[in-house]
């Protein structure tokens, strides 16, 4: 099972780090601006508000449920097979829908289960109120989690399943045991982290690829995981192309992402940016432009558990070499 290129809109609205108080309004505004692809996750902590925004848009006649492509993600603490459906049903209830178009394993990281009634979203730390809070790993094989994901498809709760943050070796392994093949690989990708070989591998397996953080450093500056100086939007090659094609630097970078065959899910909390990020389908970059942007690659990963888990949660847990 693979996502048809025309089934999921190539530009989605990323919902990570949007404040709860702004989420419903931004979702409704995004749908009004033309977005039909919403990228959510339990861990973002705002799915109930996303659901409010969807309901507002439907009530205003802006769309129907069938017009929307809704993606969400299984959090790390729900990897044990007996908890996968519970997590999915919580997301469905929060979003106010009876099925997801796509459900993804958020990280290839299994953490100790935290009951929904005790703390939701559970985040990374198992016991935040203890004197010595810890990130507690649970030894759950990814194959067991995938079997439970497949059961969601069979139950009609989700239309497609896939994975986030997998590397090449994990992808090869998944394709060897999956009865229902993954439809999507979602990875961090932008001009500083092109991941060209991984994208090529996924496409050879007929997996669609979604790039999160497609504009690079912006979402990570306030988290102190990147510096403002690392913005790809200030690179001279991007600025030169933007001037020539009479587009913004962000539009050029998003167009590069789509033109290389990936979907992109830019996040913004500014209404005026919604239309800008969507308006990338009436121009093309030349082959030389595509190569020049790709050559900005420096393998700079902003979202790396091997770094942030140790810094924030006191546990060294790399998943990339």
């Amino acid at each position: 099972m693979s996502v048809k290129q025309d089934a999921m809109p190539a530009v989605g609205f990323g919902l990570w780090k949007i404040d709860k108080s702004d989420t419903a309004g931004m979702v409704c505004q995004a749908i009004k601006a033309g977005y039909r692809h919403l990228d959510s996750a339990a861990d973002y902590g705002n799915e109930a508000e996303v659901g409010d925004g969807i309901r507002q848009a439907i009530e205003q006649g802006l769309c129907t449920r069938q017009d929307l492509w809704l993606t969400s993600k299984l959090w790390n603490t729900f990897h044990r097979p007996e908890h996968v459906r519970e997590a999915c049903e919580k997301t469905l209830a929060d979003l106010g829908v009876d099925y997801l178009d796509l459900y993804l394993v958020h990280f290839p990281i299994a953490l100790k289960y935290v009951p929904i009634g005790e703390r939701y979203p559970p985040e990374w730390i198992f016991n935040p109120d203890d004197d010595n809070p810890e990130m507690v790993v649970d030894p759950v094989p990814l194959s067991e989690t995938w079997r439970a994901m497949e059961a969601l498809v069979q139950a009609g709760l989700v239309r497609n399943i896939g994975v986030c943050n997998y590397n090449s070796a994990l992808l090869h392994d998944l394709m060897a045991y999956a009865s229902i093949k993954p439809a999507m690989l979602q990875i961090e990708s932008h001009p500083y982290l092109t991941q060209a070989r991984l994208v090529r591998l996924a496409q050879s397996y007929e997996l669609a690829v979604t790039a999160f953080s497609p504009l690079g450093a912006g979402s990570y500056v306030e988290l102190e995981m990147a510096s403002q100086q690392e913005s790809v939007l200030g690179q001279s090659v991007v600025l030169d192309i933007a001037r020539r094609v009479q587009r913004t630097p962000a539009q050029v970078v998003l167009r590069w992402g789509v033109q290389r065959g990936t979907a992109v899910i830019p996040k913004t909390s500014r209404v005026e940016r919604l239309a800008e990020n969507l308006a990338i389908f009436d121009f093309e970059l030349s082959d030389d432009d595509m190569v020049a942007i790709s050559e900005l690659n420096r393998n700079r990963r902003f979202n790396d558990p091997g770094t942030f888990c140790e810094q924030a949660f006191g546990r060294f847990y790399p998943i990339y070499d």
Side-chain angles (χ1 to χ4, degrees):
M1 180 187 297
S2 61
V3 174
K4 293 181 181 178
Q5 291 299 321
D6 60 351
M8 187 185 80
V11 179
F13 183 41
L15 293 156
W16 180 47
K17 285 174 64 267
I18 296 182
D19 191 88
K20 277 188 179 185
S21 62
D22 297 330
T23 299
M26 286 298 298
V27 166
C28 192
Q29 288 285 349
I31 293 171
K32 188 174 184 179
Y35 287 83
R36 294 296 180 265
H37 169 191
L38 303 177
D39 185 85
S40 185
D43 188 56
Y44 300 167
N46 57 7
E47 287 198 316
E49 291 75 19
V50 173
D52 290 341
I54 291 170
R55 279 189 290 276
Q56 290 175 27
I58 291 173
E59 288 169 2
Q60 292 176 30
L62 300 174
C63 68
T64 66
R65 164 65 185 96
Q66 291 70 32
D67 293 330
L68 300 176
W69 180 281
L70 301 181
T71 296
S72 189
K73 306 175 189 78
L74 177 78
W75 185 240
N76 305 341
T77 54
F78 300 106
H79 272 222
R80 288 208 168 269
E82 61 267 31
H83 302 310
V84 170
R85 180 161 180 158
E86 171 193 16
C88 181
E89 289 179 338
K90 170 63 172 167
T91 280
L92 291 172
D94 283 349
L95 293 177
V97 297
D98 57 9
Y99 71 93
L100 293 171
D101 297 279
L102 178 64
Y103 198 44
L104 305 172
V105 177
H106 203 151
F107 282 96
I109 299 173
L111 299 179
K112 190 171 180 180
Y113 174 67
V114 176
I116 288 173
E118 183 176 315
R119 189 175 71 251
Y120 190 86
E123 301 182 322
W124 293 86
I125 296 296
F126 175 68
N127 49 353
D129 297 327
D130 287 6
D131 292 337
N132 296 300
E134 296 178 287
M135 172 182 152
V136 181
V137 174
D138 193 12
V140 183
L142 290 168
S143 59
E144 293 186 7
T145 303
W146 188 255
R147 295 277 180 255
M149 295 283 284
E150 292 175 332
L152 299 178
V153 178
Q154 293 158 351
L157 298 179
V158 305
R159 300 281 174 87
N160 301 277
I161 51 178
V163 293
C164 298
N165 301 301
Y166 270 43
N167 60 27
S168 295
L170 290 179
L171 202 55
H172 286 305
D173 193 48
L174 171 59
M175 297 303 291
Y177 61 70
S179 297
I180 298 177
K181 301 299 183 184
M184 179 66 67
L185 171 67
Q186 186 175 127
I187 52 172
E188 178 183 350
S189 190
H190 42 75
Y192 285 168
L193 184 70
T194 58
Q195 302 220 66
R197 294 202 301 180
L198 182 55
V199 170
R200 180 181 172 187
L201 174 65
Q203 292 171 342
S204 75
Y205 276 129
E206 299 185 341
L207 269 78
V209 178
T210 297
F212 72 78
S213 302
L215 297 174
S219 293
Y220 301 96
V221 173
E222 64 189 78
L223 300 176
E224 299 183 352
M225 295 163 68
S227 67
Q228 195 64 55
Q229 289 68 41
E230 291 183 284
S231 173
V232 70
L233 303 182
Q235 282 282 351
S236 59
V237 64
V238 173
L239 294 171
D240 290 345
I241 293 170
R243 279 191 290 267
R244 179 159 44 76
V245 301
Q246 297 184 312
R247 299 288 168 158
T248 67
Q251 287 174 318
V252 167
V253 172
L254 293 175
R255 177 67 205 183
W256 169 84
V258 168
Q259 202 166 310
R260 70 195 290 251
T262 67
V264 294
I265 44 173
K267 165 259 176 186
T268 183
S269 295
R270 295 167 58 181
V271 172
E272 63 271 19
R273 287 282 172 81
L274 289 170
E276 175 187 335
N277 289 344
L278 201 57
I280 62 171
F281 296 101
D282 58 351
F283 74 102
E284 287 190 8
L285 300 176
S286 69
D287 291 345
D288 288 344
D289 291 341
M290 292 294 292
V291 170
I293 294 172
S294 295
E295 286 179 346
L296 293 172
N297 182 56
R298 55 183 69 173
N299 297 321
R300 173 64 166 105
R301 190 184 302 277
F302 297 108
N303 195 322
D304 187 349
T307 300
F308 70 72
C309 284
E310 185 169 31
Q311 292 176 343
F313 313 127
R315 175 115 192 197
F316 179 56
Y317 205 83
I319 59 174
Y320 311 113
D321 295 332

